[in-house]
Every structure is written in C-alpha cells, then in structure tokens.
Amino acid sequence: MGGYATTSYRDNGLIVLDAIEDIRNLRERMDAFFASTTEYFPPDSVFIGGPSEGGLVTALTIEKYPDLFDRALSICGSIGNFYKQLQYNDNFHVLLNYFFKNEFLAKGINLGNLKDGISPLAIGACKLGALPLPVADIFINKPGKTLELVKCAKVPVDKSDLEAVITSLLELLRFNVMLTNDVTDRLEGVLFNN
C-alpha cells in the first residue's frame, strides 16, 4: 500500500528557500499524523521529488535535511549553477529583443527589458496563453532570424527541426516573461552581467 502527500508553496515565483521549509513542515505534519493514529501504519520509506524549481527544492531539501527522506528525485532542477542559468536566460532575453523587437512591437507585443522589467500586459498574455501564438508566427515567418537567434543564444535544439526550435524558444520566452520581474525583486536587482 502506498500514499503521497503534497504541498503548494506559500507563494509563486522564485520561492526556493521558503519552499524548503514548506517541505520540511509537510514532513513534520506527516510524522505527527502517523504518531496520532493507530488506524494507519507509517510508511517504510519516504521519497521526495519534483521537476524544475521543484527539482531544485528537492536537491536543497535533501542536502539541508538529509534525515527527512529516504530517497530524492530531482527532475530537470537547476542544480548545477543557478547564477549561470539566470545569465543564460537573461542573455536570451537581450538577444530576443535585439532580433525581434520591431516585429514584436508591430504585433503589439512589448516584452520590456531586464532593467525596466517585463510589462504587465506581456505577463498577463503569457498567463492566459495568448502570447505564444503570435510569437510563434513571427518565428515561422522569419526563419533566418529565428535560426540566428538560436545560434547566438546557444539554444540546445536540433536546428533542422523547426517545431522543436519554436518550442524551445517559446519555453525560454515563457521563463523570461514569468520570472524576470520576480527574480529581480526577490534578489534585489538585475543579475544580468553581459
């Protein structure tokens, strides 16, 4: 017999340090639950896992609290060098604006910049799913510029597969739109160093 417990972090965005404590709190509540009942047996093993930021939270939680979990699975977590990942994503944003700012503005898309932040309209359009289609259309109609962006930004994708290229670029764009302002606020400044 198995089971699972999950938590939603106390906030959205870059919430890694608080999320580690949320996970610790969840584990303590789980232990308290099993200590207070005879109806259920406590688990033989307890695992922690998460993708993306949850992967980073998983790795840092198991490092900080190694006795809380028996196993951990960090999936696509930014556990190598977070600063370098932010530099990579910010570099992509600068290059994206360099290559496509005029095309974006012609379609009413203003992504903002790293210094002044991402426009609330772009964030709202991304949350609603309205941003990818017009951006993908621009990439499709400007294949030379799109591939030059991929090359300059060092996007790890098969350049001969246009669908994979666009998917990769849209994911990088989503990361930038949804997290740039949050990262700048939480880390108290623009971290981009180009």
Side-chain angles (χ1 to χ4, degrees):
M1 186 63 75
Y4 72 93
T6 187
T7 182
S8 177
Y9 304 140
R10 64 185 82 176
D11 199 359
N12 291 320
L14 186 62
I15 188 75
V16 175
L17 298 178
D18 288 335
I20 293 166
E21 295 310 311
D22 290 348
I23 295 296
R24 181 191 53 75
N25 187 359
L26 174 66
R27 178 58 205 263
E28 288 175 356
R29 286 174 178 239
M30 191 179 86
D31 289 343
F33 170 79
F34 285 111
S36 70
T37 184
T38 56
E39 187 176 347
Y40 300 101
F41 294 107
D44 293 329
S45 297
V46 180
F47 301 82
I48 181 176
S52 192
E53 185 178 21
L56 176 60
V57 170
T58 295
L60 294 175
T61 300
I62 203 75
E63 285 177 357
K64 188 170 182 177
Y65 302 111
D67 296 331
L68 286 184
F69 299 94
D70 300 302
R71 303 279 187 276
L73 180 61
S74 173
I75 305 163
C76 298
S78 53
I79 59 175
N81 188 318
F82 189 64
Y83 177 78
K84 283 185 179 179
Q85 181 174 348
L86 290 176
Q87 293 302 305
Y88 173 79
N89 284 296
D90 289 350
N91 186 55
F92 172 78
H93 188 107
V94 169
L95 289 168
L96 183 66
N97 273 338
Y98 172 78
F99 281 103
F100 292 104
K101 185 174 186 175
N102 292 335
E103 287 87 349
F104 289 161
L105 291 176
K107 288 204 175 211
I109 301 168
N110 180 1
L111 296 179
N113 58 59
L114 299 174
K115 181 179 175 245
D116 300 322
I118 307 300
S119 87
L121 291 175
I123 294 169
C126 194
K127 284 181 180 178
L128 294 172
L131 191 60
L133 191 58
V135 171
D137 188 51
I138 291 169
F139 292 151
I140 290 167
N141 289 314
K142 300 285 185 175
K145 270 185 159 182
T146 300
L147 292 176
E148 193 64 27
L149 169 63
V150 168
K151 179 181 172 186
C152 290
K154 299 179 182 173
V155 178
V157 66
D158 178 359
K159 293 170 193 67
S160 67
D161 183 348
L162 186 59
E163 185 177 337
V165 166
I166 291 171
T167 299
S168 294
L169 293 177
L170 290 176
E171 276 302 302
L172 284 166
L173 172 66
R174 183 182 63 80
F175 182 90
N176 274 275
V177 169
M178 298 307 295
L179 289 178
T180 295
N181 294 355
D182 187 56
V183 169
T184 300
D185 291 345
R186 290 183 194 267
L187 301 180
E188 298 177 352
V190 176
L191 297 180
F192 187 54
N193 182 18
N194 187 355

